[in-house]
Amino acid sequence: MKTKINFVRGLKGMGVVIMITYNKSRVIFDFGAPFEPLTQIYDGTVLVRNKKRVKDSLLLNQAPMIDYIYSKESLDDINLKPAEENPYETAIFISHCHKDHMSEIDKVDSSIPIYLHHLGLKLKQALETIEEEPYYRKYNGFEYNEKIMVGEIEVTPYFSDHACIGSASFLIKTKDCTIVYSGDIRFHALEAKRAWHATKQMSKNEIDLLIVDSTTTSSNEFVYSENEIDSLNLPSKEVLKDMITEQKIIDDIREQLKTHQGIAVFNLYHRDVRMLEYLIKIAKEYNREAVFEPHTAYIINELLNISTNVIFPNNNLKYDFYTEVRKNNKIISKDEVITNPNNYFVQNTYRNILELIDYDGINGVYFHLFGEPLTEEHVHYQIMKNVIDKLKWNFFSFINLYSFSHTYPNQLAYYIQKLNPKAVVAVHSTNPEGLNPVNAKHYLPKENVDYYLLNGQLIEKIEE
Ligand SMILES: [Zn+2]
């Protein structure tokens, strides 16, 4: 028994970190902090201490406690073995650029390679330039379907259609086991077909263990119902009440813009590059121009390779990248939008919400598209709502992260059935017991414990 698995975290919620070891080779999948929107320490208010950030992060349960990952100097007095003494050939793979999967990667010693899909890497670099992500080290890019060897472990990334550009699932092979880690998955979005195709490719292997995104089991708001689904290319006609598909969001926005007179505003999470692309397209269909804040305009320039319209908010913040943005995009003034509100579809992020006050007296519609604040429980959500109410605008909120970004129970069951693994472990769910795998043994392992994997059996390693 040589293949060892440790579910470092993520067996009871977000912030998945999985470590697989074979002899002196070690691979780690995802490296984010737990997602706690209401109690997150680094919410933009508390400043990161540059020199102590690794120690702070470990003590606050943000970065995972793993030996041989962090440099001796950065560990300070934390009781972990330093990267300088690492006996393993090690690599870290990131399934996508959402914080619960990658927020801690900048703390890893630069001797350990970290891989992201090349588009995810491009996004990461753009986020560093606009100062949304810290820059401390370099990362490597991977391509879908191209194997990477880490010592004796073989890792092949596959396409996944999560709400972030460059999302991946991984097929992992050692000499005695084959494992799939799904990353975050959904099959109700615009590239569902491509995602099912990737699933089919992975299913050609005999899979011992599937570690699967089971977010959908966290929520009892998902109730099966008969519904119209033909257009979505799903294997099952059973869908859920309150489902939010990308197509539905796009159709809902279209429906509003068709007849709306006045200003139209949206607030989105700009790591969802496809949503950026669609908003530009939808605006055009209704004779509007999409206008972006400079941070998002930079991402559009870099990731979509197009120039766009930019509106600069009225504050004292200055960034080096503003020069690039000014050069590469058309600058739209606030006065122009106020004079011709019917011509524009304008981005507004929460921190710039006061910009909306200038549109007082203009008929407006506001689309909250998974931008910050992320949950209705967050105090910022009510503040945002109050401003929109004062303006007497129509407010449309798409906020259910579970149903938008993650697969539904019926699709999840189908996915497991397709991959046909011997064993299954649920991750990314607050209710892993709720997973109902088809013909596979469902394990409920403990976090931070070493397990051997053999013939689809997880056996807890007893310390000698
Ligand atoms: Zn996630």
Side-chain angles (χ1 to χ4, degrees):
M1 291 192 287
K2 283 183 177 168
T3 307
K4 263 190 303 181
I5 304 188
N6 190 311
F7 303 91
V8 181
R9 65 155 73 125
L11 290 175
K12 277 282 180 186
M14 298 188 198
V16 178
V17 180
I18 301 155
M19 182 160 71
I20 298 173
T21 313
Y22 186 85
N23 289 332
K24 287 287 169 224
S25 309
R26 189 165 82 157
V27 286
I28 296 170
F29 294 90
D30 285 341
F31 211 78
F35 176 69
E36 289 152 347
L38 301 180
T39 53
Q40 171 58 248
I41 175 104
Y42 299 120
D43 68 343
T45 313
V46 173
L47 296 173
V48 174
R49 304 197 297 163
N50 283 338
K51 278 198 179 141
K52 302 275 183 181
R53 71 208 162 86
V54 174
K55 180 183 174 178
D56 289 350
S57 209
L58 285 162
L59 278 174
L60 293 166
N61 191 33
Q62 301 290 295
M65 291 289 265
I66 305 177
D67 283 327
Y68 309 123
I69 295 292
Y70 311 101
S71 76
K72 197 174 248 163
E73 194 193 349
S74 70
L75 280 169
D76 199 348
D77 59 352
I78 300 274
N79 190 20
L80 282 178
K81 292 174 185 126
E84 287 86 341
E85 294 164 20
N86 186 8
Y88 297 99
E89 185 149 347
T90 308
I92 298 177
F93 291 84
I94 301 301
S95 65
H96 62 289
C97 272
H98 282 167
K99 285 183 185 159
D100 59 316
H101 297 261
M102 49 68 81
S103 65
E104 307 307 307
I105 55 176
D106 62 281
K107 298 168 187 89
V108 174
D109 186 66
S110 57
S111 63
I112 296 168
I114 300 179
Y115 291 91
L116 300 94
H117 184 265
H118 72 98
L119 287 175
L121 178 58
K122 211 170 172 192
L123 174 65
K124 172 79 170 87
Q125 287 160 346
L127 295 169
E128 287 167 0
T129 304
I130 64 172
E131 299 178 31
E132 185 177 314
E133 280 282 325
Y135 173 76
Y136 286 102
R137 54 161 291 160
K138 290 200 159 44
Y139 305 96
N140 302 342
F142 62 67
E143 302 284 344
Y144 297 127
N145 300 71
E146 285 186 12
K147 277 176 206 159
I148 294 168
M149 291 304 299
V150 182
E152 294 181 81
I153 305 175
E154 179 189 298
V155 178
T156 314
Y158 285 87
F159 173 78
S160 153
D161 194 20
H162 190 53
C164 187
I165 194 162
S167 295
S169 304
F170 299 99
L171 179 78
I172 306 129
K173 285 185 178 177
T174 65
K175 285 201 182 68
D176 42 47
C177 296
T178 300
I179 301 162
V180 169
Y181 166 49
S182 69
D184 284 1
I185 44 167
R186 60 175 178 174
F187 296 93
H188 52 70
L190 294 167
E191 290 205 76
K193 218 177 195 167
R194 193 176 166 201
W196 284 124
H197 180 70
T199 307
K200 199 171 160 190
Q201 288 178 314
M202 288 192 289
S203 73
K204 287 177 183 149
N205 298 276
E206 204 177 299
I207 297 163
D208 294 286
L209 173 67
L210 168 63
I211 303 164
V212 68
D213 166 13
S214 304
T215 310
T216 184
T217 62
S218 302
S219 171
N220 52 19
E221 69 191 85
F222 298 123
V223 183
Y224 285 98
S225 73
E226 289 291 316
N227 213 328
E228 73 291 349
I229 190 85
D230 293 331
S231 58
L232 290 172
N233 191 36
L234 293 179
S236 162
K237 298 235 183 277
E238 287 178 324
V239 287
L240 303 158
K241 270 184 198 159
D242 306 322
M243 63 182 277
I244 309 174
T245 64
E246 272 186 309
Q247 191 60 55
K248 179 157 170 36
I249 292 172
I250 290 164
D251 291 347
D252 284 0
I253 297 171
R254 280 201 176 108
E255 192 58 34
Q256 294 305 316
L257 291 190
K258 206 160 43 180
T259 52
H260 178 69
Q261 290 293 314
I263 181 101
V265 171
F266 61 89
N267 176 13
L268 88 174
Y269 191 43
H270 61 194
R271 297 188 189 195
D272 189 348
V273 174
R274 191 159 68 213
M275 192 62 86
L276 293 171
E277 196 177 2
Y278 269 89
L279 291 180
I280 293 169
K281 221 170 100 187
I282 297 169
K284 281 219 170 74
E285 287 171 22
Y286 298 100
N287 300 317
R288 290 175 186 262
E289 288 284 337
V291 187
F292 296 90
E293 293 178 3
H295 291 69
T296 305
Y298 186 81
I299 290 181
I300 291 170
N301 297 157
E302 290 296 301
L303 274 298
L304 294 173
N305 296 312
I306 54 170
S307 111
T308 187
N309 304 298
V310 62
I311 189 162
F312 283 86
N314 178 15
N315 58 43
N316 293 326
L317 295 175
K318 280 196 178 63
Y319 298 87
D320 291 344
F321 77 92
Y322 273 14
T323 320
E324 279 290 286
V325 168
R326 273 202 189 86
K327 202 171 72 196
N328 296 332
N329 301 284
K330 186 176 168 193
I331 299 169
I332 307 288
S333 71
K334 180 64 83 45
D335 284 347
E336 165 60 20
V337 181
I338 293 170
T339 316
N340 300 299
N342 284 330
N343 294 355
Y344 298 103
F345 193 19
V346 182
Q347 181 192 19
N348 181 265
T349 56
Y350 179 71
R351 68 176 192 163
N352 290 319
I353 194 153
L354 292 180
E355 294 294 323
L356 299 184
I357 304 294
D358 293 338
Y359 304 118
D360 186 30
I362 299 174
N363 190 30
V365 59
Y366 182 102
F367 300 97
H368 189 61
L369 303 171
F370 307 100
E372 304 253 11
L374 278 169
T375 67
E376 282 173 86
E377 291 76 35
H378 203 293
V379 60
H380 292 168
Y381 193 89
Q382 201 45 55
I383 298 172
M384 173 182 76
K385 209 52 212 358
N386 290 345
V387 173
I388 309 302
D389 286 349
K390 279 219 165 67
L391 293 163
K392 298 192 182 70
W393 286 4
N394 259 331
F395 179 72
F396 293 91
S397 182
F398 297 90
I399 200 149
N400 192 325
L401 289 171
Y402 293 121
S403 66
F404 177 62
S405 303
H406 300 274
T407 189
Y408 299 130
N410 56 331
Q411 299 167 349
L412 181 56
Y414 186 79
Y415 178 77
I416 297 172
Q417 200 181 319
K418 279 283 132 193
L419 289 177
N420 195 26
K422 290 179 188 146
V424 176
V425 168
V427 290
H428 213 284
S429 166
T430 53
N431 177 31
E433 296 85 358
L435 179 70
N436 185 20
V438 188
N439 288 334
K441 184 158 170 44
H442 182 193
Y443 283 94
L444 292 165
K446 291 173 260 185
E447 286 188 354
N448 242 320
V449 168
D450 280 341
Y451 290 87
Y452 286 114
L453 179 65
L454 193 70
N455 290 326
Q457 288 196 57
L458 273 185
I459 303 147
E460 191 173 334
K461 185 186 169 213
I462 311 293
E463 294 299 332
E464 291 99 39

